[in-house]
Amino acid sequence: MPRQQINLDPYRDDIITLYHHGISSDAISRTLETCHNIQVKERTIQSRLRKWGIRKRHRTTTGDEALHARIKMLFIQDKLTDKAMLNMLQQEGYGISERTLRRLRFKLGLHVRASEQEQHQEQGQMQEQMVVPQPQPEGPTV
């Protein structure tokens, strides 16, 4: 005979809030037992969260077609570097990290051009070659 299913819908908001605040499924289970006198196993909490479609990580960044189009535009038309693109995207409200941006750019087939790499190397070499002249002592040296 199958077990009787526990109705967690009245506690759904509490469970989701605790979960989004980083509380483990085991701790949520103990909280429900302490506060509401309901005995629920950790696995039950996990399966309900899956059933309700609750995830800790939002997968909107990697699947967001508008973001993909924006990255293409910033890379191809505006010819921005990763750091400049990241700043622009974050200002526009996209919650994206530098690593995610780099992964998406590669996934979209947008690779850094050789000329850009050479430009960055040339800038670095120019900065290294810039030597501040040392003042020469006045008068005869012994």
Side-chain angles (χ1 to χ4, degrees), residues 76-134:
I76 296 169
Q77 279 185 343
D78 299 345
K79 296 180 178 21
L80 295 182
T81 63
D82 282 356
K83 287 195 185 263
M85 275 194 286
L86 183 66
N87 288 335
M88 182 75 72
L89 292 169
Q90 288 175 343
Q91 286 174 0
E92 293 174 4
Y94 290 102
I96 187 170
S97 69
E98 187 175 356
R99 182 171 185 262
T100 303
L101 173 62
R102 199 169 35 250
R103 278 191 305 110
L104 281 175
R105 190 171 49 73
F106 281 114
K107 178 182 170 189
L108 296 169
L110 306 172
H111 302 286
V112 176
R113 296 165 199 87
S115 61
E116 282 183 17
Q117 286 177 341
E118 290 170 6
Q119 236 178 8
H120 290 298
Q121 288 174 351
E122 286 174 10
Q123 287 175 352
Q125 288 172 352
M126 286 175 56
Q127 288 175 351
E128 288 173 8
Q129 291 173 356
M130 288 182 158
V131 177
V132 178
Q134 298 295 322

Side-chain angles (χ1 to χ4, degrees), residues 40-103:
V40 182
K41 294 194 179 204
E42 177 184 2
R43 289 184 58 127
T44 304
I45 300 290
Q46 292 170 353
S47 68
R48 287 305 158 84
L49 288 167
R50 273 193 309 276
K51 180 180 174 185
W52 294 332
I54 306 301
R55 293 187 176 105
K56 274 202 179 167
R57 294 190 182 131
H58 300 286
R59 298 175 191 255
T60 55
T61 347
T62 54
D64 187 355
E65 294 299 323
L67 174 62
H68 295 188
R70 186 69 177 128
I71 290 171
K72 286 178 185 177
M73 185 186 310
L74 292 173
F75 186 81
I76 296 169
Q77 279 185 343
D78 299 345
K79 296 180 178 21
L80 295 182
T81 63
D82 282 356
K83 287 195 185 263
M85 275 194 286
L86 183 66
N87 288 335
M88 182 75 72
L89 292 169
Q90 288 175 343
Q91 286 174 0
E92 293 174 4
Y94 290 102
I96 187 170
S97 69
E98 187 175 356
R99 182 171 185 262
T100 303
L101 173 62
R102 199 169 35 250
R103 278 191 305 110

